[in-house]
DNA sequence: CGCGCGATTGAGTAATTTCAAATCTAGTGG
DNA sequence: CCACTAGATTTGAAATTACTCAATCGCGCG
């Protein structure tokens, strides 16, 4: 099965697992097919799983009191997404996770994740590795916010993830960069 | 010894280690005493350790081509600091880590960290936990940059870490918030 | 006393926002 | 195939926010 291979490749890039171990790990994941626009996590939800993207694209975002949307991350194939604050601190979700396109994911409940990490040292290593990458990426983005203006951030994003340009509407890119749609629209001409 | 107890408490809050295990872990840490202004990591350095703060305060920052400083984090007692991008991807440092006050730290080399994580599953769990917290905190700060103006970010910071107000000069707070000193100075009156 | 550093204030400028309106585009039903 | 609509993008203009540069203030310390 395709999902299985996809996850396997993802894990094996960082750790080694026997076929039996992997099969056991995989048995804890549940496949889901979502349609464009489907909502996986809503503010206020209790969150108890994270999601590994097989195909398609998710976005994780926060909406403030003025109904302005801020995108925390786009999740493409091979990425993981959830409301980690809610998952980790066991509080209600404050962000939304939904589908930009039709999307296939594998879900892993946090209980199972912790159980598997406990049982399989290598897997705990994997998740430490993954989280560390995320941490570093978040700090790079923080620097980008502090150091660069709207145009600089836009160019950096397009250089790093050129595929986004055609994949997601401009207003979502604006919401990721933390600028208004109008400003983003004007950037090309300056 | 004080440093030992301090680290022990820090670890035991999240995981359980036998006295022997802890002693073994601790034997890999090296104590350092730094004076205010001392530099621990400079841009261009090869980085091979991270630092656990026992007392005092560090700052990790990036300086851009216009010599403007941006603070990635303040590290108070019980915090860990390094140039994680350099440490993790084995590239030259792009940030500086230095001492805001006289500071005592314990250093742990990355090789030892990986070795210990390998040998002691619980410790790997600890570092996954710690990194996950950092990841979530970084995303909260990202939202703060996107959602809030200078005043909002300042108030949020002062609410979360009121001790910073007296501990570090205002210009460093400005560099953490990503605003100019002048702007920060004017915030009180608005 | 006077130096030096951090903090404040003033004034002009640049970047970005908001609100409003116009334009473009893809998909739908006739 | 065309008209129509909803959503996305662009454009204009005024208002706001924050920046830069320059000058001043306040205070601790030799």
């Amino acid at each position: 099965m395709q999902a299985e291979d996809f996850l396997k490749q993802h894990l094996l890039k960082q750790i080694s697992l026997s076929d039996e171990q992997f099969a056991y790990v995989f048995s804890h994941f549940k496949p889901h097919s979502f349609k464009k626009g489907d909502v996986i996590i809503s503010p206020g939800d209790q969150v108890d799983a994270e999601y590994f993207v097989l195909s398609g694209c998710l976005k994780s975002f926060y909406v403030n009191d003025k109904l302005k949307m801020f995108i925390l991350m786009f999740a493409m194939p091979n990425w993981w997404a959830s409301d980690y604050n809610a998952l980790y601190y066991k509080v209600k979700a404050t962000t939304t996770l939904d589908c930009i396109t039709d999307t296939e994911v594998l879900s892993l409940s946090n209980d199972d994740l912790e159980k598997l990490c406990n049982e399989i040292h290598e897997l705990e290593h994997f998740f430490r590795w993954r989280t560390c990458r995320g941490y570093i990426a978040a700090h790079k983005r923080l620097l980008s916010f502090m150091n660069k203006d709207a145009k600089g951030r836009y160019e950096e994003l397009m250089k790093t993830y050129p595929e986004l340009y055609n994949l997601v509407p401009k207003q979502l890119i604006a919401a990721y960069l933390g600028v208004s749609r109008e400003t983003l629209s004007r950037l090309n001409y300056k």
Side-chain angles (χ1 to χ4, degrees), chain A:
Chain A
M1 190 191 178
Q2 214 174 1
E4 190 163 347
D5 286 345
F6 200 73
L7 178 65
K8 194 168 184 176
Q9 288 315 308
H10 180 64
L11 295 179
L12 293 187
K13 239 178 267 173
Q14 278 314 118
I15 59 172
S16 34
L17 291 175
S18 67
D19 287 351
E20 295 74 37
Q21 278 180 316
F22 175 74
Y24 176 67
V25 168
F26 184 70
S27 73
H28 293 79
F29 283 80
K30 279 189 219 151
H32 305 263
S33 284
F34 293 110
K35 290 288 171 196
K36 175 176 177 174
D38 284 355
V39 174
I40 302 176
I41 297 174
S42 297
D45 284 0
Q46 182 178 329
V47 180
D48 42 39
E50 48 183 288
Y51 301 87
F52 175 72
V53 179
L54 298 167
S55 68
C57 185
L58 306 177
K59 68 178 190 286
S60 160
F61 62 96
Y62 172 77
V63 178
N64 74 3
D65 39 359
K66 287 169 196 150
L67 299 184
K68 199 165 161 180
M69 174 199 292
F70 302 97
I71 293 183
L72 281 167
M73 69 179 300
F74 296 112
M76 322 267 277
N78 267 315
W79 288 70
W80 298 75
S82 189
D83 180 324
Y84 286 103
N85 184 61
L87 193 64
Y88 191 81
Y89 291 111
K90 312 210 178 299
V91 295
K92 301 288 184 192
T94 53
T95 63
T96 309
L97 182 64
D98 72 5
C99 301
I100 296 179
T101 63
D102 293 355
T103 303
E104 314 252 337
V105 304
L106 295 173
S107 70
L108 176 63
S109 80
N110 199 237
D111 289 347
D112 284 343
L113 186 152
E114 291 294 338
K115 190 192 76 163
L116 289 169
C117 278
N118 223 30
E119 291 171 347
I120 304 175
H121 188 159
E122 284 280 297
L123 201 67
E124 182 126 50
H125 183 77
F126 172 82
F127 282 109
R128 177 167 72 85
W129 168 83
R130 184 209 59 175
T131 306
C132 194
R133 282 176 64 104
Y135 177 79
I136 293 167
H139 275 82
K140 277 198 183 138
R141 197 165 158 213
L142 271 172
L143 262 188
S144 179
F145 268 102
M146 292 195 272
N147 190 16
K148 297 188 175 171
D149 61 9
K151 188 172 191 186
R153 296 205 296 282
Y154 183 49
E155 285 166 354
E156 185 180 50
L157 179 65
M158 287 301 104
K159 209 169 68 179
T160 315
Y161 304 106
E163 65 271 32
L164 284 178
Y165 188 84
N166 293 311
L167 189 61
V168 312
K170 301 277 166 299
Q171 45 174 322
L172 295 187
I173 293 183
Y176 181 89
L177 296 173
V179 299
S180 65
R181 293 164 273 167
E182 294 93 330
T183 298
L184 183 68
S185 173
R186 280 183 252 260
L187 289 180
N188 301 309
Y189 300 97
K190 282 185 197 160

